[in-house]
Amino acid sequence: TLTDTLVRLQGIKAQIDLVAVESEQMSNRASSIQRQQFFQRIFQGGPSILNPSLWIDAGLGFGLLVSKLAAVVATWAREARASPNAPVLGLVPIYLAVLVAAFALLRRRVENWSRLHHAAKRSPDEMDRLWRVLRAGLVILVLLAVVFAPVIALIEASGFMTGGIEVVLYVILNIAAPTLINGTLARRIAAPGQPEWRVVNLDERAASRFSVLATLIAFISAVSITVSAIADRLFVPINYTIGQSGVLTLAMLVAQGALLVALRNQQGLTPRPPGRKFYFTWTARLQGLLWLAVLTGIAALLSGYVALAGYIAQRLFDTTLIVGGLFFLHYLSDAAVAASLDPMSAFGRFLRRFTGLGERGIERMGLLFRTVVDLVLILAGLPLLFLQWTLTWVDFRSLANSAFYGFKVGDVSLSLSTVLLIVAVFAGGIAVTNLIIRWLDRRILTETRIDKGVQDSVRKGAAYAGYILAAGFAFSAAGLEFANLAFIAGALGVGIGFGLQSIVNNFVSGLILLAERPVRVGDWVVLNAGEGIVKRINVRSTEIETFDSCSIIVPNSVLVAEAVRNWTHGDNIGRFGVNLTVAYDSNAESVRDLLLALTRAHPKVLTYPEPVVLLARYGQLGLDFEIKAHIADVFEGAIVASDLRFEILNAFAEKGIIIPVPPIVALRS
């Protein structure tokens, strides 16, 4: 039964593979046909822009389009007057009038605040970096949320969203929205008359021309796209649309050339005020390429290739918008990071109060944020730019499907979706592991009396186990069969044999250290490289901090294979010694009893094992004594020994016991 089921499933899989091959062939055929049609349309010759017939067709086509739109509006007006909800439409102009008045009032207050702000000069970098860029970008959200969305909602609430008004709204919104948004954004970036808000490095004359010409280009582009779509919808003859496209393309190319002339010798050359930062200065290096595109479009118009000229002009405008928008978001992230690093700025103070991070933490968070934003912009921007200049949508969709759903390299199948799934599951597993470790540390380990070494071993072991499980779940969720990874294991074995042997040895040694715990975090160890306190046991190495605050990085294999002196392996009890010499004429037994009494009197000296005082030898200068005593914390041995030396000096001075001085020292004194 299982064999029959397997054969049936294999037959179904073979049929699916056949369908996939046929669909791929059909997609390639459709791509070829669409590519041929694209080139035929783009390079189809026609009348030159200098031909009067083209202008006549454009005028006739525009008049015909206006007459048809007027008929649509008249039909809708008759339907609207007969509707009982007609008064609702009267709210639209009232709302727009209130909006204009509120905007004028708000603008006046912002300008007053700007003047007062610059007069006080409390934080010039705050305006120069974050708020100048943010002010230019907020206009898009304001226009979409405050202007266009409420107007459309009012029209829909009136019940007049019929076929006729949809055509009219399509024309109005597709012309007004891009023109208003792009024009307002250009004006905010150039800020004519307000140099303190200017984002780009332009003088006053160039800033005024930039805002006007950028708005004009956006208007011509919107009109060109809308007229072409409405002409097809209202069945305007094709020869009329060609004339309209030629005239509008010429107007757009002339406006783009005028904009390049206005920006000539401006970016990066105008003297900038001290402390100011301007953006988009790199566009000065692209003016030659932009001039080449504009002149190519004009040459195509003169030669009669209207479609090619329109394609170049529109793609040049769209590419400029995409690149400008991406760099605008990039500059906004940089400005936000710069403001966050400034503790005197409003955003910097808010971020420090909200997160509670220090200066180093704020700096690292800013670096991480800026890196993530740049990666997202690159991953989103490159496909958008590719779509602008690709020949067909089918080609790009086929490439995107292959990248996302998988393609084969030999016998190995690779897909972006599989990689994303593995990364997502692995990241989720790491996040869950970190949460469990945090709970384990706060709720269990800190409440017990286990020493820090055991706590660190439990914490590291749980982390390694969680990471291994996360990796296993990630590959299992992607459908990876571990039985088929024999060749990977073999390759890994060869790699370990040649280049990874020491790394694996140190990793395994780290696991042994965590399991057997011959060395734990907090232990006082002595190695050939030095002695100090174990601060951290990592995957590959162990960090030891010496008493001079110097870090020694020791491979884990050294701690396993070589002899290590551990003062605190079993417990923290340790023994210290004090050596001293008295003159030969001293009473040895009295000295011994005095030293023993002083040692036992110290509060940190243990009574068991008992302290001892030994007559070690007959020295060259006198009798050499040694004090041996134990304390509960070996880290306090040096302090206790110092205390005893002070007590011994005072006691010897009272008893008249002499500590002999070397002859050379006595001669010098």
Side-chain angles (χ1 to χ4, degrees):
T1 302
L2 293 176
T3 303
D4 294 339
T5 304
L6 178 61
V7 172
R8 187 173 65 256
L9 293 177
Q10 289 177 346
I12 296 174
K13 181 179 181 299
Q15 295 177 0
I16 294 175
D17 293 338
L18 179 60
V19 172
V21 172
E22 292 177 350
S23 63
E24 185 68 22
Q25 293 176 351
M26 294 178 63
S27 176
N28 294 334
R29 193 178 304 114
S31 299
S32 178
I33 295 173
Q34 190 171 5
R35 190 181 300 109
Q36 293 176 1
Q37 293 179 352
F38 172 80
F39 283 111
Q40 290 176 0
R41 179 174 60 87
I42 289 296
F43 294 101
Q44 183 179 3
S48 171
I49 194 66
L50 301 178
N51 194 333
S53 62
L54 185 68
W55 294 82
I56 295 174
D57 290 341
L60 294 176
F62 183 75
L64 180 61
L65 183 63
V66 171
S67 63
K68 288 192 174 186
L69 281 176
V72 170
V73 174
T75 303
W76 172 79
R78 287 194 299 269
E79 296 175 356
R81 284 194 297 268
S83 176
N85 296 328
V88 179
L89 288 179
L91 296 177
V92 175
I94 296 175
Y95 174 76
L96 293 177
V98 173
L99 195 64
V100 170
F103 176 76
L105 180 61
L106 180 62
R107 178 181 179 182
R108 187 178 306 160
R109 291 194 174 185
V110 170
E111 290 177 353
N112 293 334
W113 173 83
S114 174
R115 286 193 294 269
L116 293 175
H117 181 85
H118 274 269
K121 294 183 179 180
R122 288 188 296 270
S123 180
D125 186 68
E126 181 180 345
M127 178 175 291
D128 286 343
R129 296 303 300 271
L130 179 59
W131 302 122
R132 284 192 300 127
V133 183
L134 189 61
R135 173 181 178 267
L138 286 177
V139 63
I140 299 177
L141 299 177
V142 172
L143 289 175
L144 291 176
V146 180
V147 179
F148 296 107
V151 170
I152 296 176
L154 288 175
I155 296 176
E156 288 183 350
S158 66
F160 296 140
M161 192 63 73
T162 60
I165 193 61
E166 286 181 357
V167 175
V168 177
L169 282 179
Y170 177 82
V171 174
I172 296 175
L173 292 179
N174 279 272
I175 294 178
T179 303
L180 188 58
I181 291 175
N182 293 320
T184 308
L185 182 60
R187 186 171 181 82
R188 289 294 179 267
I189 292 176
Q194 297 175 315
E196 68 275 7
W197 288 103
R198 194 163 297 158
V199 177
V200 292
N201 191 11
L202 301 175
D203 58 21
E204 188 61 35
R205 182 180 180 184
S208 301
R209 292 184 176 182
F210 174 82
S211 60
V212 173
L213 290 174
T215 305
L216 179 61
I217 294 173
F219 173 74
I220 297 174
S221 174
V223 169
S224 179
I225 296 174
T226 306
V227 166
S228 178
I230 292 299
D232 293 339
R233 188 169 181 176
L234 298 181
F235 305 103
V236 177
I238 187 65
N239 57 330
Y240 292 162
T241 59
I242 293 177
Q244 295 169 0
S245 177
V247 173
L248 292 174
T249 300
L250 177 62
M252 183 182 295
L253 290 173
V254 171
Q256 290 173 348
L259 182 60
L260 291 176
V261 172
L263 297 180
R264 183 180 57 186
N265 299 329
Q266 287 292 323
Q267 293 284 356
L269 298 180
T270 303
R272 67 178 62 184
R276 291 288 297 276
K277 180 176 178 60
F278 291 106
Y279 303 98
F280 298 100
T281 56
W282 50 268
T283 56
R285 297 188 292 269
L286 300 178
Q287 288 194 3
L289 184 62
L290 296 177
W291 270 116
L292 178 61
V294 171
L295 294 178
T296 303
I298 294 177
L301 280 178
L302 295 176
S303 303
Y305 295 100
V306 176
L308 178 60
Y311 178 80
I312 293 175
Q314 189 61 45
R315 290 299 179 269
L316 184 60
F317 174 72
D318 294 340
T319 302
T320 303
L321 285 183
I322 293 174
V323 174
L326 293 175
F327 271 93
F328 183 84
L329 295 177
H330 167 73
Y331 293 145
L332 182 60
S333 66
D334 283 349
V337 172
S340 66
L341 296 179
D342 184 8
M344 300 303 296
S345 66
F347 184 71
R349 292 193 299 269
F350 165 76
L351 195 62
R352 282 161 177 77
R353 288 195 302 267
F354 181 76
T355 61
L357 297 175
E359 297 300 324
R360 185 63 175 169
I362 293 292
E363 182 180 353
R364 291 177 177 176
M365 185 178 68
L367 178 61
L368 177 62
F369 172 74
R370 186 161 47 193
T371 304
V372 171
V373 169
D374 289 345
L375 290 177
V376 171
L377 293 179
I378 291 174
L379 295 177
L382 290 180
L384 290 177
L385 293 176
F386 183 78
L387 283 175
Q388 291 300 317
W389 295 95
T390 187
L391 296 181
T392 61
W393 284 78
V394 177
D395 289 342
F396 183 78
R397 186 169 61 247
S398 176
L399 180 62
N401 289 338
S402 298
F404 189 80
Y405 293 106
F407 55 92
K408 286 189 175 182
V409 179
D411 295 333
V412 180
S413 179
L414 301 176
S415 65
L416 180 61
S417 58
T418 303
V419 174
L420 293 177
L421 180 61
I422 292 175
V423 172
V425 175
F426 185 67
I430 291 178
V432 173
T433 301
N434 292 334
L435 290 176
I436 293 176
I437 292 174
R438 186 177 301 177
W439 168 82
L440 182 67
D441 190 19
R442 293 182 178 180
R443 298 288 296 176
I444 297 178
L445 296 179
T446 56
E447 299 296 332
T448 62
R449 296 186 179 274
I450 305 176
D451 61 76
K452 293 183 179 180
V454 177
Q455 294 183 16
D456 184 73
S457 299
V458 173
R459 194 181 301 111
K460 289 292 180 62
Y464 291 157
Y467 295 157
I468 294 174
L469 289 177
F473 284 134
F475 287 111
S476 299
L480 184 64
E481 297 181 2
F482 292 95
N484 297 329
L485 296 181
F487 68 98
I488 298 179
L492 185 61
V494 174
I496 293 173
F498 282 102
L500 303 179
Q501 183 177 4
S502 61
I503 296 177
V504 175
N505 185 17
N506 289 322
F507 175 74
V508 175
S509 299
L511 297 179
I512 294 175
L513 293 177
L514 293 177
E516 295 185 357
R517 293 182 290 111
V519 175
R520 300 165 298 181
V521 175
D523 283 355
W524 179 358
V525 296
V526 180
L527 303 172
N528 293 331
E531 65 175 313
I533 309 300
V534 178
K535 289 297 182 182
R536 192 176 293 104
I537 301 177
N538 299 316
V539 175
R540 189 195 65 85
S541 60
T542 297
E543 180 182 348
I544 299 175
E545 183 178 353
T546 66
F547 298 106
D548 297 330
S549 298
C550 176
S551 296
I552 302 176
I553 308 301
V554 181
N556 291 331
S557 59
V558 174
L559 298 176
V560 174
E562 297 183 2
V564 179
R565 295 179 60 188
N566 192 339
W567 286 92
T568 57
H569 177 59
D571 50 46
N572 286 348
I573 296 177
R575 193 183 72 170
F576 70 94
V578 176
N579 300 326
L580 56 97
T581 302
V582 299
Y584 274 107
D585 57 356
S586 302
N587 189 336
E589 294 182 356
S590 300
V591 172
R592 180 195 60 186
D593 295 339
L594 177 61
L595 295 178
L596 191 60
L598 293 175
T599 303
R600 289 174 177 173
H602 197 285
K604 292 186 177 181
V605 174
L606 298 179
T607 58
Y608 181 83
E610 293 185 4
V612 294
V613 176
L614 303 175
L615 179 58
R617 66 189 62 83
Y618 301 112
Q620 296 180 356
L621 302 179
L623 303 175
D624 295 336
F625 284 88
E626 292 183 2
I627 301 175
K628 304 291 185 182
H630 290 79
I631 54 176
D633 191 354
V634 69
F635 294 101
E636 297 180 347
I639 299 176
V640 175
S642 176
D643 294 341
L644 281 180
R645 292 187 181 97
F646 280 111
E647 295 293 335
I648 291 171
L649 287 177
N650 296 330
F652 280 7
E654 294 178 358
K655 301 293 184 180
I657 301 175
I658 300 174
I659 298 178
V661 180
I664 297 178
V665 176
L667 182 60
R668 289 179 180 177
S669 61

